[in-house]
Amino acid sequence: MSDDTQYYANVTNLALCQKCPRLAFYAIFMKRKTNFVGIQGTGFYGSVFHSKIAAKFFDAASDFQNKLNGKIANAIQHGYEAFHELIRKDFFFEFVKSEGKNYPSSQIYALAAGTEIWLKVLWEALSEMPSLLKFPREIMPVVFQKQNSGNMRSSYNLEIAGVQTELTVVGKYDALIFNPDEKQARIFEFKGYKKSDVIVPLTQSVVYAWLVHEKTGIYPEIEIIHLSESENPANIFSSDEVREMITSALPNLFETICRMYALEEIPPKAYDSRLCEQCKYRNFCEAEIELFIRNHENTFERKNQRENTQT
């Protein structure tokens, strides 16, 4: 129908909207860097770790033709010590040798500590698959599959003020593994900062889980790994918990961001008032956003209906 409205949202902006719709408004419409409001630590190496170490591992594990694929299979078959040595030598040290000169020593040490945390958590997940430990070469393609399929998209239909609205959600998870023994899947989300912000990583992971479910019919488990936490770095959520969060939280979140895109009203404040106390926009966000909406309504609505925002 010609009266239908279509919006696009990426997972990052949806998670920020769950944390504080006004921070999301600043990020989306006014291009302010609001993602780290309320977060302890810079999280500087989260993306570096993911792209330079973790992603390279998952890509190699899912590609039979990758030169490291056989090494990974051999290490898995020989146990934790062999797996630890493989990650240390062929992934972390290779990164330091090729790109370490671009980072100060303090960041390299932090990245080393984060890599140790990650490989222990990953091994715990892999060791729960007897078939993988026994037949790694045969089972690895099932467990890891092709990680470039992490680019996902799905649509959600809702009605706002009598108008049929379609929200297309796009995103790319950090990593996804399948457990053939339990017929289950698990999404991994890596964060470089401490557990000072639980809303954003959990919301991101739940939206990724929704995307996975829309594509496969499986409600995956979620494991969030905070690479700066030496004690209890991982939080795991069962598939039943994930199903409940998808059902209870996402409809309201999808409606909130659609109303924001429509520039109908000033978005609500953060649900946790303590976040406002740490925010530099707290004294003027309402007035500034109201002025922006008056000056730009219709322009951004048409623009968002045309463009597909990527992560």
Side-chain angles (χ1 to χ4, degrees), residues 3 46 94 97 118 145 193 200 235 262 274 306:
D3 292 337
E94 281 299 312
K97 184 169 67 175
W118 166 73
Q145 302 202 10
Y193 50 78
V200 165
N235 293 108
R274 293 172 296 181
R306 291 195 309 267

Side-chain angles (χ1 to χ4, degrees), residues 56-278:
K56 287 190 173 182
F57 168 82
F58 286 109
D59 287 343
S62 65
D63 183 0
F64 185 76
Q65 295 181 334
N66 190 293
K67 64 180 182 180
L68 291 173
N69 186 273
K71 285 188 174 183
I72 294 172
N74 185 63
I76 289 174
Q77 193 164 38
H78 284 82
Y80 175 73
E81 294 301 326
F83 186 75
H84 180 279
E85 180 64 15
L86 169 81
I87 299 297
R88 186 180 70 89
K89 179 181 177 182
D90 290 287
F91 293 92
F92 177 73
F93 282 170
E94 281 299 312
F95 162 75
V96 173
K97 184 169 67 175
S98 63
E99 301 188 44
K101 62 181 180 297
N102 300 322
Y103 301 88
S105 59
S106 60
Q107 293 183 358
I108 295 297
Y109 288 135
L111 191 62
T115 301
E116 285 287 327
I117 290 170
W118 166 73
L119 71 89
K120 289 177 182 177
V121 171
L122 178 60
W123 179 257
E124 288 177 2
L126 299 180
S127 64
E128 295 174 357
M129 307 178 197
S131 62
L132 175 67
L133 301 182
K134 190 173 183 179
F135 305 109
R137 285 185 179 275
E138 293 80 1
I139 303 300
M140 276 171 52
V142 178
V143 173
F144 298 105
Q145 302 202 10
K146 284 290 185 182
Q147 292 297 311
N148 57 15
S149 63
N151 289 296
M152 305 189 74
R153 153 191 312 251
S154 191
S155 295
Y156 181 86
N157 295 298
L158 65 163
E159 183 177 302
I160 297 180
V163 177
Q164 292 300 314
T165 303
E166 180 182 81
L167 175 68
T168 298
V169 179
V170 295
K172 187 179 190 304
Y173 50 70
D174 284 353
L176 175 69
I177 63 173
F178 290 89
N179 184 333
D181 299 284
E182 299 294 334
K183 296 180 173 57
Q184 184 53 270
R186 180 175 297 183
I187 288 174
F188 288 92
E189 181 70 17
F190 312 119
K191 293 300 178 186
Y193 50 78
K194 292 182 178 294
K195 293 182 180 180
S196 52
D197 179 4
V198 297
I199 295 176
V200 165
L202 181 56
T203 303
Q204 285 179 322
S205 301
V206 170
V207 178
Y208 291 136
W210 173 75
L211 288 168
V212 169
H213 177 261
E214 289 293 295
K215 183 176 181 179
T216 68
I218 296 173
Y219 286 102
E221 300 171 335
I222 287 172
E223 184 158 8
I224 303 170
I225 306 171
H226 289 267
L227 302 171
S228 295
E229 296 282 2
S230 57
E231 297 183 7
N232 302 317
N235 293 108
I236 301 176
F237 300 87
S238 70
S239 58
D240 288 339
E241 291 173 315
V242 170
R243 182 191 296 110
E244 172 61 26
M245 287 186 283
I246 287 174
T247 303
S248 62
L250 292 194
N252 288 337
L253 175 59
F254 290 162
E255 180 176 350
T256 298
I257 202 162
C258 285
R259 290 186 180 278
M260 180 189 303
Y261 279 131
L263 295 175
E264 286 187 338
E265 58 192 19
I266 299 172
K269 293 181 179 180
Y271 304 109
D272 186 348
S273 60
R274 293 172 296 181
L275 182 63
C276 295
E277 298 170 3
Q278 305 172 58

Side-chain angles (χ1 to χ4, degrees), residues 28-42:
I28 294 168
F29 293 111
M30 304 170 77
K31 307 306 178 185
R32 306 274 179 86
K33 296 185 181 299
T34 58
N35 296 67
F36 284 93
V37 173
I39 290 178
Q40 295 177 9
T42 62

